[in-house]
Amino acid sequence: VPRNYDPLLHPFEVPREYTRALNATKLERVFAKPFLSSLDGHRDGVNCMAKHPKSLSTVLSGACDGEVKIWNLTKHQCIRTIQAHEGFVRGMCARFCGTSFFTVGDDKTVKQWKMESPEYGEEEEPIHTILGKTVFTGIDHHWKEAVFATCGHQVDIWDEQRTSPMCSLTWGFDSISSVKFNPIETYLLGSCASDRNIVLYDMRKSTPLKKVILNMRTNTLCWNPMEAFIFTAANEDYNLYTFDMRYLESPVMVHMDHVSAVLDVDYSPTGKEFVSASFDKSVRIFPVDKGRSREVYHTKRMQHVITVKWTSDNKYILCGSDEMNIRLWKANASEKLGVLAPREKAAMNYNQKLKEKFQYHPKIRRIAQHRHLPRSIFCQIKEQRIMREARRRKELNRRKHSKPGSVPFVSERKKHIVAVVK
Amino acid sequence: GEKLVLSELLQPIRPKSALSSVKKELNRVKQKKAVELPLSKEEAQRVVREAAYVGTSKDVGKWQQVVLQNRRAEQLVFPLKQEIATVVPLEQVASTWKPRTPLEQEIFGLLHKTQQPTVDPLLTPEETASLQAMSLEEARQRRAELQKARALQSYYEAKARREKRIKSKKYHRVLKKSKRRKALKEFEQLHKSDPEAALAKLEELEQLRMQERMSLKHQNKGKWARSRAIMAKYDLEARKAMQEQLARNKELMQKVRVELPEEEEEAGDMPEKDLASVTIPMGASGANPWMLGKPTGPAEEPQVEEGLGDVAVPGAAERKEEEEEEVVSEEEALLQDFAQKRHTRQQWAERPEGRGADETEAIPELLGDSPIRPVCDEEQASLGMEQPSPAQEETLLSEQLNRVQTMEDVEALASEEHVEEREKPAAARAKKRVQQQEEGRAGDKRAKKTPAKKKKIISLQAVLSGKPQEVPCASLPLVVEEEDGGVDQRGVITEAFAGDDVVADFRREKRKAEQAAKPQPVNLVLPGWGEWGGTGLKPSTKKVKRFLLKPPPAPPRKDQHLPHVIMSERRNIHAAAHQVNELPFPFEKHQQFEQSIRMPLGSTWNTQRAFQKLTTPRVVTRAGHIIQPISAEDV
């Protein structure tokens, strides 16, 4: 369609676009309905989850009573239930090809299961079972080879075909809570132990690389799937720390907003954001390069969130919590699901850009930032704000009344690092 | 001396004893110092770890470039590696499937009893026949032939089309001439070879000539002839050419028909038969910038020469127009400025100080021109001594207890005041205090000022009450009314807004604004103190002189040299609520930020292509596509 773009004919560009941006922001908030459904069926708290590497509609979950369930996300149904362990299912992971998965439990065993349900008349049995000497607390599979790693008293690296570990990596004695393979440089491993440290390992040289000790215990860590040297650690001190593995002296970014221990973290497959689950009954989404969250999800019935996953098409978030449910959320709260017409898509892109352009204007920012919180979290936030303020004031006063230079400024990033051990 | 013994001389020839090498070794060992103690196990492990760490860091560092590139990328489309979905044929899938349950097995058995071919369906006899009908070689040949023919045809068509499209008159003239010459030559040849045929051809040519004679080619209807006709009045040569043409016409047309040449008609046809009484608006109407698209020469518009010069403009009318123009010329200049200003306002750019130029447009103007309010520097310096700690960097979310679910809620949220003092660091609070002070001051001033004047709008009442006046005018011929709609409409508009003197109104308004902005003296005179008081008694001039506090003169107005602008320096709170207070983080200068706001994104202002480019999302993902972690093959 031929059009006349003479600016004289279309005056007031900025005010008109401002109005459009304001409307777009309002509509975004009105349509922000992130909760999709709840998958119920577990008979105890959900302790761990795993994504299927080849199928978007399949997700696996393990509960505190040793039960493993496989879910179909499109139908919101459980398609298979296995009594895998006695006691907790501590960790689970799928093989990179998606044909089988591994679970570890409190009964000191590692079990490998077929992904397909057993044939008619067949017993529900693991393919392999490995009996270990100590309790395993976590497991992760290599991204390309038939190798997996478990953690417990030490990090063990196993060949799938053998019943004894290829090598055991230790650095001091402590219970290690989580171990993760680097998805890009697949020989790299990261683990976090309960003596407050994060240790990196190299599988090729079968040696630990470096250890960083934080103020409090790290619960789990997750590698960025697009940036080989970046990982994020979920800490007990309510914060998340993003590290560059080449410079462990200080984290690249400290992410704060949670008001209780952060229990799990998972990266979005685009590597631009990550989602964290916390003991404070909420799930938050952080941009990698921002210190504050962009989104908080909570419902009345959701209790302490123990595990969280971001689906590999970047569209949904799954979280498993104490009260036996797995919840499915949209990763982008106000996104319209389903097929978009080209015009809809263009309008959506335009609105997105407008929101970005006018994001600093106070009225728009006020609307865009508004989130509802349950009273408990809200009060805790307020309380912690007061505490933080008091601490800051105290430090300020101390600095004011002592010899210049004796109370140094310590940046927020350095504050939480105790030491880096070579 | 000692005696030389033969046996001694022979000694070195004998083979060396086995001990000599041992001796050498011993010597060497004696020279060497003691070996250091081996490192302790911890130390050794530490060295290994350090070496491994350095090596691994280096390995991982290879990704640095890729990571930076992806972080800065304008657009990232995930999954990075586009994989093509392969569809597995049904037969293959069916063959792998095996019946398990008894029911399935039973059904499968029934199906397979009939030996229905499930794999690779057979062809029907017709299909096989058609496949065998033509040999491959033959078919190929035929296809090639057809292809060639089609290609040739298309070339020819393209050529013909191209030639037909040529617009050049000269080209066609030359073409025609060459054709004619060719025809002549042919005719001559024909004459020599075949007189019969030549005669027939001659006949044909005769016919053609007759046709041409009958046509109106040499009358004065052509473009050239018409242009000559216009010029003929003044130009002797043109007249001559005209005459020649007519003579030619006569010559060609044997039957002479007496008729007047058209130019005479034109000259004589415009008698002053009807002095039309046309209503034209009075006063500044002709110069009203709101009525006209273009600022220049508004009055002459209706009299623009009509192509053929049908309209002879009487001189008297022109003179009258000129007089009128002189009267309004002063206003004219002003209005030109007005229009110019309107034009510049579209481009926002050059004058950030043009803020709040017009009361009626204060809000959009403020929004557009300078989204950042400058904060008083010296006051900020005096108050802002505390630095906010990094722990209190700005939150991305403002979390509340209330839910926002409907549009009304959202709107209420927008209108709500900011309640951010609680978290904002001390610096921000200080700033706020400054603002409050400013506001207080402004409030004082405002209290003393006359109440703010209302917006000036063109009211319908005023427009309707202004009656158009009838003026006998000989200048505008009736033809004007038959002209195309544009001029006519303008006439209607000018007529409609005849009584609306926008310019004078504006000047009055500006004068008022100037008066209002002048600082008023403060009268502190109290009657009765130090002298007699009572009704009808005025305080003495001495006292008045003493207690009338004259404020210092106001700084010169910014718009004092701009006759067409009113600049209000009062802060507009309604607009301020929408404005950005502080320079947002990634920007370093106000100008940068303003620039970013000024550029429109929408398709109203941009071409489709530019619009698409401007609104491309940073990250594109597709539903239902698994995004794998980046790998060395993707890069």
Side-chain angles (χ1 to χ4, degrees), chain B residues 268-433:
Chain B
D269 227 289
M270 257 324 34
E272 288 81 17
K273 46 187 174 185
D274 30 31
L275 285 172
S277 62
V278 180
T279 59
I280 55 161
M282 292 295 287
S285 62
N288 192 339
W290 313 110
M291 316 290 165
L292 299 169
K294 277 179 250 163
T296 47
E300 283 122 331
E301 288 280 321
Q303 291 158 17
V304 169
E305 289 219 343
E306 319 299 332
L308 269 172
D310 302 294
V311 186
V313 181
E318 244 179 55
R319 234 171 291 134
K320 197 173 181 185
E321 284 293 331
E322 272 165 22
E323 278 169 19
E324 214 176 321
E325 241 186 79
E326 273 171 20
V327 172
V328 259
S329 65
E330 192 185 60
E331 279 172 324
E332 185 72 45
L334 201 137
L335 285 165
Q336 273 185 18
D337 284 356
F338 229 82
Q340 224 171 39
K341 191 220 146 196
R342 260 177 78 208
H343 182 72
T344 48
R345 205 190 304 144
Q346 301 305 321
Q347 297 154 345
W348 300 117
E350 290 83 7
R351 299 186 226 160
E353 76 272 10
R355 184 154 72 106
D358 214 337
E359 288 264 308
T360 53
E361 292 160 6
I363 294 172
E365 282 263 62
L366 281 164
L367 262 177
D369 265 344
S370 62
I372 303 164
R373 249 180 290 136
V375 182
C376 283
D377 283 343
E378 65 275 10
E379 276 173 340
Q380 199 185 351
S382 67
L383 284 159
M385 70 276 185
E386 290 172 340
Q387 288 292 320
S389 77
Q392 275 162 346
E393 67 176 286
E394 204 169 343
T395 51
L396 284 179
L397 303 177
S398 73
E399 286 140 348
Q400 302 290 317
L401 281 172
N402 54 324
R403 259 179 216 280
V404 169
Q405 280 170 325
T406 59
M407 208 62 189
E408 287 76 48
D409 291 345
V410 173
E411 250 149 46
L413 197 69
S415 59
E416 219 173 276
E417 263 305 302
H418 271 248
V419 204
E420 284 176 327
E421 299 99 317
R422 34 185 193 137
E423 162 105 274
K424 282 262 173 179
R429 241 175 285 143
K431 210 170 282 170
K432 179 124 191 180
R433 225 176 297 141

Side-chain angles (χ1 to χ4, degrees), chain A residues 18 185 246 284 366 373, chain B residues 63-64 399-400 416 578:
Chain A
Y18 175 79
E185 294 293 341
R246 298 168 298 168
R284 282 183 188 264
R366 173 131 182 86
L373 276 186
Chain B
W63 288 96
Q64 178 76 18
E399 286 140 348
Q400 302 290 317
E416 219 173 276
H578 291 270

Side-chain angles (χ1 to χ4, degrees), chain B residues 29-82:
Chain B
V29 169
K30 266 179 201 167
Q31 278 166 10
K32 251 193 183 173
K33 281 170 194 170
V35 178
E36 283 171 31
L37 272 174
L39 287 171
S40 69
K41 197 182 166 194
E42 281 78 44
E43 288 279 297
Q45 276 178 349
R46 187 179 166 176
V47 169
V48 169
R49 281 198 301 255
E50 239 183 296
Y53 177 71
V54 169
T56 315
S57 301
K58 213 175 191 180
D59 281 358
V60 171
K62 281 185 303 192
W63 288 96
Q64 178 76 18
Q65 275 309 313
V66 181
V67 166
L68 285 184
Q69 200 181 319
N70 280 354
R71 277 183 195 165
R72 287 188 206 127
E74 291 278 297
Q75 187 178 35
L76 279 177
V77 181
F78 292 102
L80 294 172
K81 196 168 53 187
Q82 303 293 337

Side-chain angles (χ1 to χ4, degrees), chain A residues 3 5 7-8 10-18 20 23 26-27 29-30 33 53-56 119-120 143-144 171 183-185 187-188 200 202 204-205 207-210 225-230 245-248 254 256-257 269-270 272 284 287 290-296 298 312-315 346 349-350 353-354 357-358 360-363 365-367 369-375 378 381 385 388-389 392 396 412 422, chain B residues 46 48-50 52-53 55-57 59-61 63-64 67 70-71 76 78 80 100-102 342-343 346 348 361 364 367-368 371 386-387 389-407 410-411 413-418 422-423 577-580 584 586-587 593 596-608 611 614-617 619 621-631:
Chain A
R3 295 202 45 208
Y5 292 103
L8 283 171
H10 308 286
F12 301 125
E13 305 101 317
V14 179
R16 284 165 76 185
E17 288 221 312
Y18 175 79
R20 286 179 198 178
N23 288 340
K26 283 177 187 173
L27 286 177
R29 285 332 304 158
V30 168
K33 305 262 184 268
K54 299 285 173 195
S55 158
L56 283 170
E119 288 171 14
Y120 179 75
W143 287 80
K144 277 165 190 165
W171 190 345
I184 307 168
E185 294 293 341
Y187 51 84
L188 266 177
L200 301 177
D202 191 334
R204 298 172 303 180
K205 290 158 191 159
T207 166
L209 299 174
K210 217 169 201 181
M226 289 292 151
E227 302 176 359
F229 39 79
I230 300 284
M245 70 153 279
R246 298 168 298 168
Y247 315 105
L248 289 171
V254 181
M256 24 191 180
D257 252 353
T270 60
K272 301 274 179 205
R284 282 183 188 264
K290 295 266 161 55
R292 296 288 181 167
S293 59
R294 77 157 170 84
E295 198 69 72
V296 54
H298 58 86
S312 27
D313 61 346
N314 195 36
K315 296 281 179 202
N349 289 344
Y350 179 44
K353 283 284 160 174
L354 281 181
K357 181 181 169 185
F358 289 101
Y360 305 111
H361 287 70
K363 295 248 165 173
R365 196 173 54 198
R366 173 131 182 86
I367 295 169
Q369 287 182 354
H370 183 273
R371 296 288 181 283
H372 165 254
L373 276 186
R375 177 165 290 281
F378 185 76
I381 289 176
R385 193 185 300 132
R388 211 166 37 232
E389 179 62 22
R392 195 187 67 83
L396 210 74
E412 186 66 29
K422 281 179 187 170
Chain B
R46 187 179 166 176
V48 169
R49 281 198 301 255
E50 239 183 296
Y53 177 71
T56 315
S57 301
D59 281 358
V60 171
W63 288 96
Q64 178 76 18
V67 166
N70 280 354
R71 277 183 195 165
L76 279 177
F78 292 102
L80 294 172
R100 285 174 195 156
T101 60
R342 260 177 78 208
H343 182 72
Q346 301 305 321
W348 300 117
E361 292 160 6
L367 262 177
E386 290 172 340
Q387 288 292 320
S389 77
Q392 275 162 346
E393 67 176 286
E394 204 169 343
T395 51
L396 284 179
L397 303 177
S398 73
E399 286 140 348
Q400 302 290 317
L401 281 172
N402 54 324
R403 259 179 216 280
V404 169
Q405 280 170 325
T406 59
M407 208 62 189
V410 173
E411 250 149 46
L413 197 69
S415 59
E416 219 173 276
E417 263 305 302
H418 271 248
R422 34 185 193 137
E423 162 105 274
H578 291 270
Q579 280 182 319
V580 177
F587 300 100
F593 181 59
S596 79
I597 293 297
R598 205 176 294 138
M599 168 86 173
L601 298 172
S603 55
T604 322
W605 300 276
N606 294 299
T607 56
Q608 195 57 30
F611 172 66
L614 284 171
T615 57
T616 46
V619 174
T621 57
R622 295 179 184 153
H625 286 249
I626 293 176
I627 302 168
Q628 299 287 359
I630 199 168
S631 64

Side-chain angles (χ1 to χ4, degrees), chain A residues 264-283:
Chain A
D264 198 10
V265 59
D266 192 34
Y267 262 95
S268 87
T270 60
K272 301 274 179 205
E273 288 172 327
F274 60 81
V275 60
S276 66
S278 168
F279 197 74
D280 64 10
K281 306 175 186 176
S282 70
V283 171

Side-chain angles (χ1 to χ4, degrees), chain B residues 534-567:
Chain B
T535 49
L537 283 176
K538 278 181 187 169
S540 65
T541 47
K542 193 178 146 200
K543 196 175 170 188
V544 168
K545 216 175 177 182
R546 189 169 166 208
F547 286 103
L548 198 70
L549 300 184
K550 269 185 193 165
R557 284 178 69 89
K558 274 184 186 165
D559 56 1
Q560 62 177 348
H561 298 302
L562 301 167
H564 53 282
V565 175
I566 301 175
M567 283 190 191

